[in-house]
Amino acid sequence: MTAPPRSTVEVFRRGGLRRLASGGRSWRAIAVALALIVPMTLFGSIILMTPSPSVLLGGRNAEDCAEAATGTDVSATAQTDIPRDYLELYKKFGRQIGVQWNVLAAIGKRETDHGRSSLPGVSSGTNYAGAAGPMQFLVSTWGGKTRIKIGPDVNGYASDGDGDGYGDIYDPADAILGAARMLKRNGAPDDLKRAIFVYNRATWYVDQVLEIARRYAANGQIQLPPEADPACDSSYVASAPDDVVRTILEYALAQRGKPYRWGGTGPDAFDCSGIIYMAYRNAGLSIPRTTFGQWPFGVRVQPGSEQPGDLVFFNAGPGTSKDHPGHVGMVVSPGKMIEARCTLCGPIKVTTYGDRPNIVGFTRPLENEDVVEQLKRALT
């Protein structure tokens, strides 16, 4: 039998239609067979495939998801009430960070009428409580100063939304990006009541923000962003480069909404490396179980060259360092990963990684020699 190339995955990525010299079988067909059969041959037991999320669930359909993904789910009220430049910023940073744009906009409305208020602290100085800017950050929460050079030593939500290198509490782009990050940090997009309550600790404030957010949405509802909603077909699986990656992504994405549990490998809960270990195992491939083992296992990938199925590592968690990362996610598309982050971080979901300051690097387990050998042995 003709031996496959050293990097089997490269053959898959060229379309999977090249045929083996022996038997005329296609690599794509073999990949499909491996995804279904190898779990039995390599591990001695059947690993049940978890179905991918349905496009229809809980009344949400593909059109709703498409509107949420493009930010076109804007009501007439929102179009009339929100200044155009602010609306674009709410939609832009809502998508970038993975929170509901209309919740961001509702906070902007409730705090300063989208920057139009003439009260103290909106365009200069602070109000009686020490808050400033269109999103009314406490200066201490922003980082101690109203204008801060953005760098690794910034301790707060100061953000650079306009790309000038500084976090200016009075700049709408910087302030809205900072607000999106604060909501995400405290539970959004899943636990909105908690996230909004942390923003301003009053239940009446939470109720008012949610009511405004509903009025700003075209369908009158507050829904998860499509990348965080198992009911939405985010096209991650459909755009996978080959059947092996597709099988890995299907399993991982089907775990959205399940809780984080340290040491968890399913089926009810996972930790960060556990979901990746089981997703690869679902495709019949054995990789290390822990983050510390997965980091040196894959072939290093230059930032910007990562592909679906690759792993992204972070300097986070006890006992970790730049050369010993303690957190890992799986790339599902450029800038997006699925991760099981922590007990208090909400359920497993698709998140952005480009805004994380502590990325250590990317690896490609599918090009590890052991993985290539596993595929070769399964074909003989």
PDB file of all heavy atoms in Angstrom, residues 139-162:
ATOM      1  N   VAL A 139     -13.197  56.176  37.660  1.00  0.00           N
ATOM      2  CA  VAL A 139     -11.817  56.340  37.221  1.00  0.00           C
ATOM      3  C   VAL A 139     -10.939  55.233  37.797  1.00  0.00           C
ATOM      4  O   VAL A 139     -10.035  54.711  37.125  1.00  0.00           O
ATOM      5  CB  VAL A 139     -11.289  57.727  37.626  1.00  0.00           C
ATOM      6  CG1 VAL A 139      -9.807  57.867  37.274  1.00  0.00           C
ATOM      7  CG2 VAL A 139     -12.098  58.827  36.939  1.00  0.00           C
ATOM      8  N   SER A 140     -11.222  54.822  39.024  1.00  0.00           N
ATOM      9  CA  SER A 140     -10.441  53.741  39.633  1.00  0.00           C
ATOM     10  C   SER A 140     -10.645  52.421  38.890  1.00  0.00           C
ATOM     11  O   SER A 140      -9.708  51.621  38.756  1.00  0.00           O
ATOM     12  CB  SER A 140     -10.828  53.573  41.102  1.00  0.00           C
ATOM     13  OG  SER A 140     -12.221  53.293  41.228  1.00  0.00           O
ATOM     14  N   THR A 141     -11.854  52.183  38.393  1.00  0.00           N
ATOM     15  CA  THR A 141     -12.125  50.968  37.637  1.00  0.00           C
ATOM     16  C   THR A 141     -11.498  51.022  36.253  1.00  0.00           C
ATOM     17  O   THR A 141     -11.093  49.999  35.699  1.00  0.00           O
ATOM     18  CB  THR A 141     -13.651  50.757  37.492  1.00  0.00           C
ATOM     19  OG1 THR A 141     -14.231  50.726  38.785  1.00  0.00           O
ATOM     20  CG2 THR A 141     -13.964  49.463  36.779  1.00  0.00           C
ATOM     21  N   TRP A 142     -11.407  52.215  35.688  1.00  0.00           N
ATOM     22  CA  TRP A 142     -10.802  52.386  34.367  1.00  0.00           C
ATOM     23  C   TRP A 142      -9.308  52.094  34.412  1.00  0.00           C
ATOM     24  O   TRP A 142      -8.747  51.563  33.455  1.00  0.00           O
ATOM     25  CB  TRP A 142     -11.058  53.809  33.880  1.00  0.00           C
ATOM     26  CG  TRP A 142     -10.623  54.097  32.484  1.00  0.00           C
ATOM     27  CD1 TRP A 142      -9.566  54.870  32.082  1.00  0.00           C
ATOM     28  CD2 TRP A 142     -11.263  53.659  31.276  1.00  0.00           C
ATOM     29  NE1 TRP A 142      -9.494  54.936  30.718  1.00  0.00           N
ATOM     30  CE2 TRP A 142     -10.535  54.199  30.192  1.00  0.00           C
ATOM     31  CE3 TRP A 142     -12.366  52.859  31.006  1.00  0.00           C
ATOM     32  CZ2 TRP A 142     -10.876  53.955  28.857  1.00  0.00           C
ATOM     33  CZ3 TRP A 142     -12.721  52.614  29.693  1.00  0.00           C
ATOM     34  CH2 TRP A 142     -11.976  53.161  28.631  1.00  0.00           C
ATOM     35  N   GLY A 143      -8.682  52.422  35.525  1.00  0.00           N
ATOM     36  CA  GLY A 143      -7.250  52.159  35.652  1.00  0.00           C
ATOM     37  C   GLY A 143      -6.505  53.218  36.430  1.00  0.00           C
ATOM     38  O   GLY A 143      -5.267  53.210  36.480  1.00  0.00           O
ATOM     39  N   GLY A 144      -7.262  54.145  37.060  1.00  0.00           N
ATOM     40  CA  GLY A 144      -6.630  55.134  37.933  1.00  0.00           C
ATOM     41  C   GLY A 144      -6.469  56.503  37.315  1.00  0.00           C
ATOM     42  O   GLY A 144      -6.301  57.497  38.023  1.00  0.00           O
ATOM     43  N   LYS A 145      -6.489  56.578  35.982  1.00  0.00           N
ATOM     44  CA  LYS A 145      -6.394  57.855  35.278  1.00  0.00           C
ATOM     45  C   LYS A 145      -7.407  57.860  34.142  1.00  0.00           C
ATOM     46  O   LYS A 145      -7.787  56.801  33.634  1.00  0.00           O
ATOM     47  CB  LYS A 145      -4.983  58.074  34.716  1.00  0.00           C
ATOM     48  CG  LYS A 145      -3.901  58.174  35.772  1.00  0.00           C
ATOM     49  CD  LYS A 145      -2.552  58.542  35.157  1.00  0.00           C
ATOM     50  CE  LYS A 145      -2.027  57.413  34.277  1.00  0.00           C
ATOM     51  NZ  LYS A 145      -0.670  57.732  33.741  1.00  0.00           N
ATOM     52  N   THR A 146      -7.816  59.072  33.728  1.00  0.00           N
ATOM     53  CA  THR A 146      -8.812  59.134  32.661  1.00  0.00           C
ATOM     54  C   THR A 146      -8.220  58.832  31.293  1.00  0.00           C
ATOM     55  O   THR A 146      -8.947  58.463  30.368  1.00  0.00           O
ATOM     56  CB  THR A 146      -9.488  60.515  32.619  1.00  0.00           C
ATOM     57  OG1 THR A 146      -8.487  61.530  32.418  1.00  0.00           O
ATOM     58  CG2 THR A 146     -10.236  60.773  33.929  1.00  0.00           C
ATOM     59  N   ARG A 147      -6.936  58.964  31.137  1.00  0.00           N
ATOM     60  CA  ARG A 147      -6.254  58.647  29.871  1.00  0.00           C
ATOM     61  C   ARG A 147      -5.000  57.853  30.189  1.00  0.00           C
ATOM     62  O   ARG A 147      -4.123  58.331  30.915  1.00  0.00           O
ATOM     63  CB  ARG A 147      -5.909  59.924  29.101  1.00  0.00           C
ATOM     64  CG  ARG A 147      -5.199  59.664  27.758  1.00  0.00           C
ATOM     65  CD  ARG A 147      -5.016  60.985  27.004  1.00  0.00           C
ATOM     66  NE  ARG A 147      -4.117  60.861  25.869  1.00  0.00           N
ATOM     67  CZ  ARG A 147      -4.480  60.421  24.652  1.00  0.00           C
ATOM     68  NH1 ARG A 147      -5.733  60.055  24.448  1.00  0.00           N
ATOM     69  NH2 ARG A 147      -3.600  60.368  23.671  1.00  0.00           N
ATOM     70  N   ILE A 148      -4.909  56.643  29.664  1.00  0.00           N
ATOM     71  CA  ILE A 148      -3.838  55.714  30.019  1.00  0.00           C
ATOM     72  C   ILE A 148      -3.231  55.126  28.758  1.00  0.00           C
ATOM     73  O   ILE A 148      -3.958  54.729  27.834  1.00  0.00           O
ATOM     74  CB  ILE A 148      -4.379  54.564  30.896  1.00  0.00           C
ATOM     75  CG1 ILE A 148      -5.041  55.114  32.158  1.00  0.00           C
ATOM     76  CG2 ILE A 148      -3.281  53.582  31.262  1.00  0.00           C
ATOM     77  CD1 ILE A 148      -5.713  54.042  32.995  1.00  0.00           C
ATOM     78  N   LYS A 149      -1.918  55.075  28.706  1.00  0.00           N
ATOM     79  CA  LYS A 149      -1.247  54.362  27.608  1.00  0.00           C
ATOM     80  C   LYS A 149      -1.494  52.870  27.787  1.00  0.00           C
ATOM     81  O   LYS A 149      -1.221  52.308  28.841  1.00  0.00           O
ATOM     82  CB  LYS A 149       0.241  54.666  27.590  1.00  0.00           C
ATOM     83  CG  LYS A 149       0.967  54.038  26.395  1.00  0.00           C
ATOM     84  CD  LYS A 149       2.394  54.496  26.314  1.00  0.00           C
ATOM     85  CE  LYS A 149       3.109  53.868  25.129  1.00  0.00           C
ATOM     86  NZ  LYS A 149       2.456  54.162  23.832  1.00  0.00           N
ATOM     87  N   ILE A 150      -2.009  52.223  26.758  1.00  0.00           N
ATOM     88  CA  ILE A 150      -2.378  50.820  26.857  1.00  0.00           C
ATOM     89  C   ILE A 150      -1.134  49.937  26.790  1.00  0.00           C
ATOM     90  O   ILE A 150      -0.294  50.069  25.894  1.00  0.00           O
ATOM     91  CB  ILE A 150      -3.352  50.424  25.723  1.00  0.00           C
ATOM     92  CG1 ILE A 150      -4.631  51.243  25.842  1.00  0.00           C
ATOM     93  CG2 ILE A 150      -3.670  48.937  25.776  1.00  0.00           C
ATOM     94  CD1 ILE A 150      -5.388  51.063  27.131  1.00  0.00           C
ATOM     95  N   GLY A 151      -1.009  49.058  27.771  1.00  0.00           N
ATOM     96  CA  GLY A 151       0.116  48.132  27.835  1.00  0.00           C
ATOM     97  C   GLY A 151      -0.194  47.018  28.796  1.00  0.00           C
ATOM     98  O   GLY A 151      -1.266  46.987  29.420  1.00  0.00           O
ATOM     99  N   PRO A 152       0.738  46.090  28.975  1.00  0.00           N
ATOM    100  CA  PRO A 152       0.477  44.928  29.838  1.00  0.00           C
ATOM    101  C   PRO A 152       0.308  45.269  31.306  1.00  0.00           C
ATOM    102  O   PRO A 152      -0.201  44.459  32.078  1.00  0.00           O
ATOM    103  CB  PRO A 152       1.716  44.050  29.612  1.00  0.00           C
ATOM    104  CG  PRO A 152       2.777  44.981  29.124  1.00  0.00           C
ATOM    105  CD  PRO A 152       2.064  46.032  28.340  1.00  0.00           C
ATOM    106  N   ASP A 153       0.738  46.472  31.715  1.00  0.00           N
ATOM    107  CA  ASP A 153       0.654  46.829  33.125  1.00  0.00           C
ATOM    108  C   ASP A 153      -0.632  47.574  33.478  1.00  0.00           C
ATOM    109  O   ASP A 153      -0.809  47.993  34.626  1.00  0.00           O
ATOM    110  CB  ASP A 153       1.860  47.687  33.525  1.00  0.00           C
ATOM    111  CG  ASP A 153       1.982  48.952  32.690  1.00  0.00           C
ATOM    112  OD1 ASP A 153       1.398  48.991  31.586  1.00  0.00           O
ATOM    113  OD2 ASP A 153       2.680  49.886  33.130  1.00  0.00           O
ATOM    114  N   VAL A 154      -1.540  47.739  32.521  1.00  0.00           N
ATOM    115  CA  VAL A 154      -2.798  48.423  32.810  1.00  0.00           C
ATOM    116  C   VAL A 154      -3.664  47.544  33.696  1.00  0.00           C
ATOM    117  O   VAL A 154      -3.936  46.391  33.377  1.00  0.00           O
ATOM    118  CB  VAL A 154      -3.553  48.769  31.507  1.00  0.00           C
ATOM    119  CG1 VAL A 154      -4.948  49.305  31.829  1.00  0.00           C
ATOM    120  CG2 VAL A 154      -2.771  49.790  30.704  1.00  0.00           C
ATOM    121  N   ASN A 155      -4.092  48.095  34.829  1.00  0.00           N
ATOM    122  CA  ASN A 155      -4.890  47.341  35.784  1.00  0.00           C
ATOM    123  C   ASN A 155      -6.285  47.939  35.841  1.00  0.00           C
ATOM    124  O   ASN A 155      -6.594  48.792  36.669  1.00  0.00           O
ATOM    125  CB  ASN A 155      -4.234  47.376  37.175  1.00  0.00           C
ATOM    126  CG  ASN A 155      -4.987  46.526  38.178  1.00  0.00           C
ATOM    127  OD1 ASN A 155      -5.728  45.618  37.808  1.00  0.00           O
ATOM    128  ND2 ASN A 155      -4.801  46.823  39.452  1.00  0.00           N
ATOM    129  N   GLY A 156      -7.139  47.530  34.921  1.00  0.00           N
ATOM    130  CA  GLY A 156      -8.488  48.067  34.853  1.00  0.00           C
ATOM    131  C   GLY A 156      -9.079  47.809  33.481  1.00  0.00           C
ATOM    132  O   GLY A 156      -8.551  47.027  32.697  1.00  0.00           O
ATOM    133  N   TYR A 157     -10.168  48.509  33.178  1.00  0.00           N
ATOM    134  CA  TYR A 157     -10.871  48.289  31.917  1.00  0.00           C
ATOM    135  C   TYR A 157     -10.515  49.313  30.849  1.00  0.00           C
ATOM    136  O   TYR A 157     -11.180  49.369  29.806  1.00  0.00           O
ATOM    137  CB  TYR A 157     -12.380  48.289  32.158  1.00  0.00           C
ATOM    138  CG  TYR A 157     -12.829  47.067  32.923  1.00  0.00           C
ATOM    139  CD1 TYR A 157     -13.161  47.153  34.266  1.00  0.00           C
ATOM    140  CD2 TYR A 157     -12.897  45.825  32.296  1.00  0.00           C
ATOM    141  CE1 TYR A 157     -13.564  46.025  34.975  1.00  0.00           C
ATOM    142  CE2 TYR A 157     -13.299  44.700  32.991  1.00  0.00           C
ATOM    143  CZ  TYR A 157     -13.624  44.807  34.330  1.00  0.00           C
ATOM    144  OH  TYR A 157     -14.016  43.687  35.025  1.00  0.00           O
ATOM    145  N   ALA A 158      -9.496  50.119  31.074  1.00  0.00           N
ATOM    146  CA  ALA A 158      -9.051  51.056  30.050  1.00  0.00           C
ATOM    147  C   ALA A 158      -8.779  50.293  28.756  1.00  0.00           C
ATOM    148  O   ALA A 158      -8.084  49.279  28.757  1.00  0.00           O
ATOM    149  CB  ALA A 158      -7.794  51.782  30.520  1.00  0.00           C
ATOM    150  N   SER A 159      -9.328  50.789  27.652  1.00  0.00           N
ATOM    151  CA  SER A 159      -9.267  50.072  26.379  1.00  0.00           C
ATOM    152  C   SER A 159      -8.987  51.047  25.246  1.00  0.00           C
ATOM    153  O   SER A 159      -9.331  52.226  25.319  1.00  0.00           O
ATOM    154  CB  SER A 159     -10.596  49.358  26.111  1.00  0.00           C
ATOM    155  OG  SER A 159     -10.909  48.451  27.147  1.00  0.00           O
ATOM    156  N   ASP A 160      -8.379  50.519  24.193  1.00  0.00           N
ATOM    157  CA  ASP A 160      -8.049  51.332  23.029  1.00  0.00           C
ATOM    158  C   ASP A 160      -8.953  50.926  21.871  1.00  0.00           C
ATOM    159  O   ASP A 160      -8.614  50.050  21.078  1.00  0.00           O
ATOM    160  CB  ASP A 160      -6.577  51.149  22.661  1.00  0.00           C
ATOM    161  CG  ASP A 160      -6.180  51.964  21.443  1.00  0.00           C
ATOM    162  OD1 ASP A 160      -6.927  52.892  21.079  1.00  0.00           O
ATOM    163  OD2 ASP A 160      -5.121  51.663  20.849  1.00  0.00           O
ATOM    164  N   GLY A 161     -10.105  51.560  21.775  1.00  0.00           N
ATOM    165  CA  GLY A 161     -11.048  51.217  20.719  1.00  0.00           C
ATOM    166  C   GLY A 161     -10.797  51.927  19.412  1.00  0.00           C
ATOM    167  O   GLY A 161     -11.278  51.492  18.367  1.00  0.00           O
ATOM    168  N   ASP A 162     -10.049  53.047  19.438  1.00  0.00           N
ATOM    169  CA  ASP A 162      -9.819  53.814  18.213  1.00  0.00           C
ATOM    170  C   ASP A 162      -8.416  53.624  17.660  1.00  0.00           C
ATOM    171  O   ASP A 162      -8.042  54.237  16.657  1.00  0.00           O
ATOM    172  CB  ASP A 162     -10.100  55.299  18.436  1.00  0.00           C
ATOM    173  CG  ASP A 162      -9.217  55.914  19.518  1.00  0.00           C
ATOM    174  OD1 ASP A 162      -8.363  55.195  20.091  1.00  0.00           O
ATOM    175  OD2 ASP A 162      -9.385  57.118  19.799  1.00  0.00           O
TER     176      ASP A 162
END
